[in-house]
Amino acid sequence: MKYNTLLFDVDNTLLDFDANEGESFKSLIRDKGEIYSEELYEVYKKINQGMWADIELGKIKVDEVLNTRFSKLMSEYGKSIDGGEWEKTYRLYLNKGVQLMPDAHEVLSKLHEKYTLYIVTNGIARTQYSRINGAGISQYFKDCFISEDIGANKPAIEFFNYVKDHVKGFNEAETLIIGDSITSDIKGGNLAGIDTCWLCKEGTVNESSISPNYEIHSLKELLQIL
């Protein structure tokens, strides 16, 4: 057995963040008395994804995203709102998002019997713990490493150094990271000297120079690799 330690990303790897985000955003907009539209949601996603990309590059801090993404959104429509208050409301909905990716329970249950599993995720600690526990998958993992707790975000080497320092007997050669993000999970694994497995949607093309060791289109395919 080549690997004994598996590091799992959370969003769109184990939990369906896209579904959670969409439902939470729709609830927020209606809660604030605004009119929801797919166009509005697409504008939000463009702003949000751009800001999280800047976090991965070390250009901005998480607090800037949380405090300004909704005010940036509504300013596109000529409206001034309290971005921090909108974030608090949005977070209440987001914390409840426990939608699982297909076959997550089955795959984790089988892997848990043979490997030591850890969670490695970017995000707000309270939200991630709430979702992980609510989805009923926390029992499969020995520990959870969340960027807010660590003070660094994937793909920064500081994030992975923290993980290495807090996993007893950590061995890069016996560790595999599984995630959906080329720029976060796969790049981070490469920087840390850890083998990587990219969980990508059918039809997704890797247009970057970042290369994973493995590529799968469903969690079940992971069982064929290990």
Side-chain angles (χ1 to χ4, degrees):
M1 185 168 65
K2 182 176 181 180
Y3 305 110
N4 57 36
T5 302
L6 304 181
L7 309 179
F8 278 91
D9 173 51
V10 171
D11 293 325
N12 291 330
T13 299
L14 298 176
L15 299 184
D16 190 340
F17 181 77
D18 288 346
N20 181 19
E21 179 188 52
E23 292 179 9
S24 299
F25 181 82
K26 188 177 293 184
S27 296
L28 167 69
I29 294 303
R30 291 173 176 169
D31 186 277
K32 296 300 182 181
E34 300 291 339
I35 298 174
Y36 174 84
S37 69
E38 288 299 320
E39 178 200 343
L40 182 67
Y41 184 41
E42 289 302 318
V43 173
Y44 165 74
K45 286 196 293 183
K46 183 177 180 180
I47 292 170
N48 188 53
Q49 290 168 4
M51 296 186 79
W52 277 101
D54 283 343
I55 286 176
E56 291 179 6
L57 294 172
K59 293 182 178 180
I60 61 174
K61 301 294 185 182
V62 172
D63 283 350
E64 183 174 341
V65 178
L66 304 185
N67 292 325
T68 67
R69 57 183 172 181
F70 290 112
S71 56
K72 287 178 182 290
L73 168 65
M74 297 312 293
S75 70
E76 293 285 326
Y77 296 88
K79 296 185 178 183
S80 177
I81 57 99
D82 186 332
E85 284 302 313
W86 277 47
E87 177 65 33
K88 290 178 182 178
T89 303
Y90 176 67
R91 185 70 42 189
L92 292 175
Y93 291 118
L94 201 66
N95 289 353
K96 300 174 184 177
V98 296
Q99 302 95 322
L100 284 162
M101 296 295 284
D103 306 309
H105 262 300
E106 177 186 348
V107 171
L108 290 174
S109 179
K110 290 180 179 179
L111 294 177
H112 179 253
E113 297 174 356
K114 298 180 180 180
Y115 305 90
T116 305
L117 313 184
Y118 294 89
I119 279 175
V120 289
T121 179
N122 288 343
I124 306 305
R126 184 174 63 178
T127 296
Q128 298 300 63
Y129 281 123
S130 175
R131 296 171 63 228
I132 292 164
N133 291 330
I137 59 174
S138 60
Q139 71 271 20
Y140 299 122
F141 297 94
K142 188 168 184 179
D143 206 350
C144 295
F145 297 101
I146 302 176
S147 61
E148 184 183 37
D149 291 335
I150 292 173
N153 291 275
K154 296 179 296 181
I157 193 63
E158 290 82 3
F159 180 100
F160 288 92
N161 284 343
Y162 183 95
V163 173
K164 293 178 183 181
D165 290 342
H166 289 79
V167 172
K168 186 176 181 180
F170 189 94
N171 185 335
E172 289 91 340
E174 297 176 348
T175 301
L176 178 70
I177 181 171
I178 303 98
D180 72 298
S181 173
I182 283 287
T183 56
S184 175
D185 305 308
I186 308 308
K187 181 179 180 179
N190 289 349
L191 290 173
I194 299 169
D195 280 3
T196 59
C197 179
W198 182 36
L199 174 59
C200 63
K201 295 179 180 179
E202 289 283 357
T204 302
V205 177
N206 178 12
E207 298 179 341
S208 74
S209 60
I210 304 165
S211 299
N213 296 91
Y214 310 97
E215 181 177 322
I216 59 176
H217 300 290
S218 70
L219 284 172
K220 268 193 171 180
E221 290 182 39
L222 185 59
L223 300 176
Q224 300 170 16
I225 293 173
L226 298 170

